[in-house]
């Protein structure tokens, strides 16, 4: 039998989840409502103060409701970060809006704030702007928030990868008019599948809750005056989330330790690590790197070699303007050319699961260093 496969990032239970799950079974609170849902929402609201929380079935659902609550509709222009996962953008298409993709800055790999005004000059003031904290590295939120406020642009903050990350002392997820979190199985904490919508205003959260429960009117029968969605988180999933919140700080420390391990173990390799601006603190969800020109290798070659050794690595997100589904969408690139394309063509993510042992991390490092022996 070969060595155990090392995955990119797998769920890591803390042990406290079971008590909430058992309680749900004992009380028969299995449906998408119940004390665990309420408790998980309270936990999140306590962690990210000043936001009203609605627990949902996915981070994508949160982004969709954010688009609806922002008034995004047919033909509206929405500025979107180009270097991201497609779920950051797809909900804008659900609303039949027109995305305009903005390139990244090298200092964080996130949306370049300097491109927002240029995009406004070319395409007008957008209905909303979607910013992403890529791999847990916070974007330049002071500049982005200031521009959105100046032009009256609704800010949608995709913090799906960034729970626990901080920008200038403020936690990610607390900057947007609407923000989204994800608790997918590979995130820093998980609910198996799930997400959360964070709203600046309580009335928006109440409307989001209504829309997430099929937009049922508060009458004795089933009455609907608008289209709703089946987006609520189940009480079972929320129970997992409550247990996961108990170990969040531990997970953040473990993610940081993994990043520091790679920085030390791979110091002599021809690579650079995803940077984080000094004003920010990453949650180090995934350790992402770029191969230097002198490496002599492509990400595909590295990923294949690691894969043959039972180690899962993954390409950086392919920029949205290169995706076939968005190939006709406008793209505003950096003055130096497409930064996102450059990162994609040289970048990959290393195994970063908090349940990896020291021996497993050493195995990754040994295999990676062996590429240049």
């Amino acid at each position: 039998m070969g060595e155990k496969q090392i995955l990119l990032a797998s769920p890591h239970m803390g042990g406290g989840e079971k008590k909430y799950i058992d309680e749900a079974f004992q009380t028969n609170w299995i449906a998408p409502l119940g004390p665990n849902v309420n408790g998980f929402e309270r936990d999140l609201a306590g962690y990210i103060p000043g936001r009203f929380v609605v627990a949902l079935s996915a981070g994508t659902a949160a982004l969709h409701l954010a688009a609806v609550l922002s008034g995004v509709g047919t033909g509206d222009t929405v500025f979107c970060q180009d270097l991201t996962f497609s779920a950051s953008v797809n909900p804008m298409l659900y609303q039949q809006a027109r995305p305009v993709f903005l390139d990244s800055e090298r200092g964080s790999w996130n949306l370049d704030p300097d491109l927002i005004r240029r995009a406004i000059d070319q395409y007008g003031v957008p209905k909303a702007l979607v910013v992403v904290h890529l791999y847990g590295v916070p974007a330049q939120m002071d500049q982005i928030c200031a521009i959105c406020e100046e032009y009256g642009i609704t800010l949608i903050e995709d913090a799906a990868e960034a729970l626990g990350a901080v920008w200038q002392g403020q936690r990610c997820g607390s900057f947007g008019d609407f923000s989204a979190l994800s608790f997918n199985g590979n995130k820093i904490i998980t609910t198996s599948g799930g997400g959360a919508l964070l709203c600046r205003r309580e009335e928006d959260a109440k409307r989001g809750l209504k829309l997430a429960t099929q937009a049922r009117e508060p009458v004795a029968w089933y009455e609907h005056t608008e289209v709703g969605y089946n987006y609520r988180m189940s009480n079972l999933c929320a129970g997992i989330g409550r247990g996961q919140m108990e170990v969040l700080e531990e997970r953040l420390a473990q993610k940081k330790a993994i990043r520091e391990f790679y920085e030390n173990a791979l110091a002599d390799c021809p690579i650079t690590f995803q940077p984080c601006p000094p004003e920010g603190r990453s949650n180090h969800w995934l350790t992402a790197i770029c191969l230097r020109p002198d490496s002599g290798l492509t990400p595909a070659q590295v990923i294949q070699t690691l894969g043959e050794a039972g180690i899962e690595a993954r390409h950086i997100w392919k920029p949205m303007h290169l995706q076939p589904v968005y190939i006709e969408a406008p793209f505003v690139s950096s003055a130096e050319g497409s930064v996102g394309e450059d990162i994609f063509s040289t970048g990959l993510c290393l195994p970063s699961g908090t349940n990896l042992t020291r021996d497993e991390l050493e195995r990754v490092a040994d295999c990676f260093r062996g590429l240049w022996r």
Side-chain angles (χ1 to χ4, degrees):
M1 180 179 288
E3 291 184 285
K4 174 186 173 184
Q5 185 180 16
I6 295 176
L7 300 176
L8 186 75
S10 59
H12 188 184
M13 295 295 99
E17 299 85 2
K18 192 171 185 299
K19 64 185 176 185
Y20 298 107
I21 298 299
D22 287 346
E23 183 179 284
F25 274 98
Q26 289 164 8
T27 57
N28 203 33
W29 280 107
I30 307 300
L33 75 165
N36 280 337
V37 175
N38 298 335
F40 188 44
E41 289 174 341
R42 286 194 302 269
D43 292 343
L44 290 169
Y47 190 77
I48 304 179
R51 289 299 180 269
F52 299 92
V53 180
V54 183
L56 300 170
S57 57
T60 308
L63 288 165
H64 184 207
L65 290 180
V68 174
L69 294 168
S70 299
V72 172
T74 302
D76 287 335
T77 297
V78 178
F79 290 174
C80 299
Q81 184 161 315
D82 182 55
L83 187 59
T84 185
F85 179 47
S86 62
S88 302
V89 184
N90 290 343
M92 306 307 128
L93 269 290
Y94 302 167
Q95 295 302 107
Q96 299 183 326
R98 180 182 76 147
V100 174
F101 295 115
L102 275 58
D103 203 2
S104 294
E105 56 162 8
R106 292 197 183 276
S108 68
W109 298 5
N110 291 311
L111 188 149
D112 185 344
D114 293 338
L115 298 181
I116 300 174
R117 296 183 193 277
R118 192 198 304 176
I120 290 173
D121 289 342
Q122 290 181 254
Y123 302 103
V125 177
K127 187 74 172 183
L129 182 148
V130 181
V131 63
V132 184
H133 306 296
L134 197 70
Y135 301 124
V137 172
Q140 301 268 3
M141 295 311 298
D142 52 337
Q143 297 181 52
I144 293 169
C145 289
I147 295 171
C148 286
E149 184 175 355
E150 177 184 348
Y151 287 93
I153 303 167
T154 299
L155 178 59
I156 299 175
E157 181 187 4
D158 183 349
E161 302 171 359
L163 183 63
V166 174
W167 179 259
Q168 294 185 338
Q170 184 175 337
R171 281 179 172 149
C172 293
S174 65
F175 290 95
D177 296 293
F178 304 98
S179 304
L181 299 174
S182 172
F183 309 113
N184 192 24
N186 62 4
K187 296 300 189 294
I188 196 161
I189 67 168
T190 185
T191 58
S192 175
L197 172 69
L198 281 61
C199 302
R200 187 184 301 276
R201 302 188 307 167
E202 185 175 14
E203 55 264 39
D204 287 327
K206 288 180 177 178
R207 175 159 165 71
L209 174 60
K210 176 187 175 184
L211 290 171
T213 48
Q214 301 288 20
R216 182 184 175 185
E217 297 297 327
V219 297
W221 50 87
Y222 286 89
E223 181 155 306
H224 309 270
T225 61
E226 59 185 329
V227 173
Y229 312 94
N230 184 18
Y231 279 170
R232 277 297 257 166
M233 179 180 285
S234 80
N235 197 54
L236 286 176
C237 289
I240 299 173
R242 294 183 75 182
Q244 289 274 284
M245 286 296 290
E246 295 176 354
V247 295
L248 175 56
E249 292 304 320
E250 180 182 345
R251 296 291 178 263
L252 291 168
Q254 290 168 322
K255 289 286 190 181
K256 180 180 179 183
I258 290 168
R259 167 65 180 255
E260 290 173 348
F261 169 84
Y262 282 131
E263 287 177 337
N264 292 324
L266 306 181
D268 295 332
C269 296
I271 62 174
T272 59
F273 288 83
Q274 180 185 12
C276 182
E279 304 95 326
R281 188 182 75 210
S282 175
N283 71 354
H284 305 294
W285 171 53
L286 292 181
T287 293
I289 63 169
C290 280
L291 300 168
R292 294 201 315 248
D294 61 333
S295 72
L297 295 172
T298 66
Q301 290 171 320
V302 173
I303 290 168
Q304 179 178 347
T305 300
L306 292 176
E308 290 170 352
I311 298 168
E312 182 185 21
R314 189 172 295 175
H315 288 277
I316 298 294
W317 301 125
K318 184 177 182 179
M320 289 297 99
H321 79 275
L322 297 180
Q323 297 286 352
V325 69
Y326 290 119
I327 204 70
E328 300 297 328
F331 170 57
V332 181
S333 67
S334 166
E336 59 181 289
S338 175
V339 171
E341 287 186 41
D342 185 34
I343 293 169
F344 170 65
S345 67
T346 60
L348 65 146
C349 300
L350 297 174
S352 305
T354 52
N355 49 8
L356 292 175
T357 66
R358 178 76 180 200
D359 286 346
E360 288 172 327
L361 288 170
E362 292 282 5
R363 186 176 138 205
V364 175
D366 288 344
C367 184
F368 193 86
R369 288 192 297 261
L371 291 162
W372 292 280
R373 288 179 186 149

